[in-house]
């Protein structure tokens, strides 16, 4: 083989390797999307419902598998509202949520649309639905949680500060000792808390009654706990929320299709108990 042919072959191999690096992550992602679609179709037929997912998990897409993080955004609300709008009015909706929260505006839009759906609505929480995720869950007729899943408070946050904490800081220090910026923040914080309380009350009153709806709205927005406080299944029941624990097995299988970036080695591994080996004895 002459040097020209050898150089051409080397160049061809290099380009094929480059295309592999470029296209393989995308092919893997397309495969995951197809597997998710099949599982969602199976779940939809089993439950006789429109199944919608809003799963915010770190994923990696692209040549170098660079991870990016997801939160409830306006784009999410656009997609979920479109799905709810297209759902048959006389059929249930199952909304699977896995999220740390996000924009109050987007979460409010989704919650209102879910609340207004004529047929039964169910929010399924396999692991966690914090902040805006909890706001959406409150709008459903039924919250289905894994026994170890958690919800969270819905007290509004102003930047890095919880709105209730801003008000308490001004109260302790005294308005006359606070600077103008803090007083402005306190004014916005007061409005933000009132707005979220009123919205939570509006989506709960028809299912919980006015008195219970006001109680829950205050508890969840007043800053009783830190914003990342985990409201467990048992605690949610104690608060009086309509929660159940019968998460469909397909939901757990679906979560397996939202893996962390492949470029990063996982920190947890496990080996399932060998039931078949035991049964064969």
């Amino acid at each position: 083989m002459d040097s020209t042919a050898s150089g051409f072959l080397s160049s061809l191999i290099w380009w094929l390797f480059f295309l592999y690096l470029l296209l393989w992550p995308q092919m893997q992602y397309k495969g995951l999307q197809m597997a998710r679609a099949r599982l969602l179709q199976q779940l939809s037929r089993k439950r006789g419902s429109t199944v919608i997912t809003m799963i915010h998990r770190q994923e990696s897409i692209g040549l170098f598998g660079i991870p990016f993080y997801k939160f409830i955004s306006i784009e999410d609300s656009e997609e979920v509202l479109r799905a709810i709008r297209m759902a048959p009015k006389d059929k249930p909706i199952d909304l699977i949520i896995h999220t740390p929260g996000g924009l109050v505006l987007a979460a409010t839009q989704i919650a209102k649309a879910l609340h207004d759906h004529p047929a039964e609505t169910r929010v399924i929480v396999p692991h966690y639905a914090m902040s805006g995720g909890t706001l959406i869950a409150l709008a459903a007729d039924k919250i289905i949680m894994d026994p170890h899943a958690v919800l969270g408070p819905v007290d509004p946050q102003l930047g890095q500060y919880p709105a209730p904490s801003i008000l308490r800081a001004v109260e302790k220090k005294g308005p006359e000792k606070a600077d103008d910026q803090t007083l402005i923040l306190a004014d916005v914080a007061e409005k933000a808390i009132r707005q979220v309380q009123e919205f939570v009350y509006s989506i709960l009153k028809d299912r919980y009654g006015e008195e219970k709806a006001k109680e829950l709205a205050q508890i969840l927005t007043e800053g009783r706990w830190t914003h990342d406080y985990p409201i467990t299944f048992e605690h949610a029941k104690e608060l009086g929320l309509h929660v159940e624990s019968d998460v469909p097995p397909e939901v757990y299988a679906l979560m397996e299709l939202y893996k962390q970036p492949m470029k990063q080695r996982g920190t947890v591994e496990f080996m399932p108990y060998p039931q078949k080996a035991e049964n064969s004895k």
Side-chain angles (χ1 to χ4, degrees):
M1 182 181 294
D2 58 30
S3 59
T4 301
S6 177
F8 174 77
L9 182 60
S10 298
S11 179
L12 179 61
I13 292 173
W14 187 90
W15 276 107
L16 288 174
F17 179 69
F18 177 77
L19 287 173
Y20 169 79
L21 290 177
L22 184 66
L23 297 177
W24 179 242
Q26 297 295 334
M27 292 171 62
Q28 284 183 309
Y29 186 65
K30 287 293 183 183
L32 279 175
Q33 285 183 312
M34 293 175 64
R36 293 169 187 171
R38 287 193 296 269
L39 199 51
L40 287 174
Q41 187 177 52
Q42 178 183 338
L43 185 60
S44 176
R45 288 174 178 171
K46 177 181 176 180
R47 295 178 65 82
S49 66
T50 295
V51 180
I52 307 168
T53 66
M54 188 173 68
I55 298 175
H56 293 143
R57 177 172 277 186
Q58 178 180 308
E59 292 188 83
S60 61
I61 302 176
L63 176 59
F64 301 107
I66 298 174
F68 63 93
Y69 300 86
K70 297 180 179 179
F71 303 89
I72 301 174
S73 66
I74 291 298
E75 287 72 23
D76 288 325
S77 66
E78 289 178 0
E79 293 295 329
V80 175
L81 263 60
R82 184 179 298 113
I84 293 175
R85 191 162 51 243
M86 293 174 64
K89 304 303 180 187
D90 59 340
K91 300 296 182 182
I93 289 177
D94 284 302
L95 175 56
I96 303 169
I97 292 183
H98 176 87
T99 182
L103 289 178
V104 174
L105 172 60
T108 300
Q109 287 181 296
I110 296 171
K112 183 68 166 61
L114 195 66
H115 174 269
D116 292 346
H117 183 68
E120 184 180 41
T121 55
R122 305 174 290 240
V123 164
I124 302 174
V125 185
H127 187 62
Y128 78 152
M130 304 298 285
S131 191
T134 300
L135 189 66
I136 295 169
L138 293 173
D141 295 310
K142 190 182 298 180
I143 304 172
I144 304 174
M145 299 171 61
D146 178 88
H148 299 102
V150 295
L151 304 174
V154 295
D155 52 311
Q157 309 292 290
L158 300 182
Q160 60 181 321
Y161 302 117
S165 296
I166 295 173
L167 294 180
R168 285 175 191 149
V170 172
E171 182 182 348
K172 288 182 178 180
K173 193 172 185 178
E176 66 282 352
K177 296 181 180 178
D179 57 52
D180 290 347
Q181 184 176 4
T182 303
L183 291 175
I184 292 171
L185 275 175
D187 179 63
V188 176
E190 185 177 7
K191 293 173 182 175
I193 294 171
R194 184 174 66 250
Q195 288 165 189
V196 175
Q197 278 186 353
E198 289 174 353
F199 180 74
V200 172
Y201 167 74
S202 72
I203 60 176
L204 293 181
K205 64 180 181 179
D206 55 344
R207 283 178 287 108
Y208 290 85
E210 292 193 4
E211 185 177 344
K212 186 63 177 179
K214 287 180 181 178
E215 177 191 337
L216 287 170
Q218 181 175 352
I219 289 173
L220 294 171
T221 62
E222 66 184 2
R224 176 177 300 193
W225 310 291
T226 59
H227 193 59
D228 60 352
Y229 176 77
I231 299 175
T232 62
F233 176 79
E234 293 82 6
H235 193 178
K237 291 197 76 170
E238 290 172 5
L239 291 174
L241 293 174
H242 299 164
V243 293
E244 298 180 2
S245 60
D246 53 336
V247 175
E250 292 85 356
V251 173
Y252 296 117
L254 181 69
M255 294 302 295
E256 286 295 315
L257 298 177
Y258 287 84
K259 286 293 188 181
Q260 300 294 332
M262 297 183 66
K263 294 288 183 179
Q264 297 181 4
R265 187 176 300 277
T267 58
V268 177
E269 296 180 354
F270 74 99
M271 180 65 66
Y273 185 78
Q275 294 179 338
K276 290 184 179 180
E278 185 180 73
N279 293 336
S280 64
K281 291 181 180 180

